[in-house]
Amino acid sequence: MSAKYDFDMDQGATFNRTLTLKDDTSTVVDLTGNSFAGQIRTSALSGTIAGTFTFAITNASGGVFSWKMTATNTAALPAQQCVYDVEMTQANGDVVRLLEGFVNIKSNVTR
């Protein structure tokens, strides 16, 4: 089951988070061989991708990965409440949804 996490994102600003993945017992998850994907859409049913996150595993055995979107990409997002999710594909091919929720895109004034 995924965790619900709602947050704000600023148009035209770099979005960058570093996360440590732990299991239900608070044990760090080894990310070796895993990959991540995540998208923003205006609604869950929308066929149009508003934005795509990039991910990098920075410490596989420590369960640490980065979650990013460039300032150029956030500038192209619609200034409204959108939905997103983050999924992990495990080395064995299983897909696990880690996070989901609303992202409030805040308008950029300085351009």
Side-chain angles (χ1 to χ4, degrees):
M1 182 171 181
S2 62
K4 181 145 175 59
Y5 175 62
D6 299 334
F7 63 97
D8 293 336
M9 181 183 285
D10 297 323
Q11 274 183 332
T14 302
F15 173 82
N16 189 7
R17 301 285 187 276
T18 300
L19 303 173
T20 301
L21 186 61
K22 296 181 179 181
D23 65 16
D24 293 338
T25 65
S26 294
T27 302
V28 170
V29 174
D30 188 340
L31 301 177
T32 302
N34 296 349
S35 62
F36 296 87
Q39 298 177 342
I40 295 174
R41 295 178 189 255
T42 55
S43 75
L45 299 178
S46 174
T48 303
I49 300 167
T52 302
F53 297 107
T54 60
F55 298 89
I57 296 172
T58 56
N59 178 352
S61 63
V64 181
F65 67 98
S66 64
W67 175 23
K68 298 180 180 183
M69 188 176 287
T70 67
T72 301
N73 289 337
T74 65
L77 295 172
Q80 67 181 68
Q81 185 178 69
C82 296
V83 294
Y84 81 96
D85 65 12
V86 173
E87 296 179 339
M88 177 178 68
T89 301
Q90 297 174 317
N92 65 5
D94 289 348
V95 177
V96 178
R97 183 177 302 153
L98 299 175
L99 293 170
E100 64 180 294
F102 294 104
V103 54
N104 296 304
I105 312 300
K106 305 187 108 203
S107 295
N108 187 18
V109 176
T110 304
R111 295 181 193 86

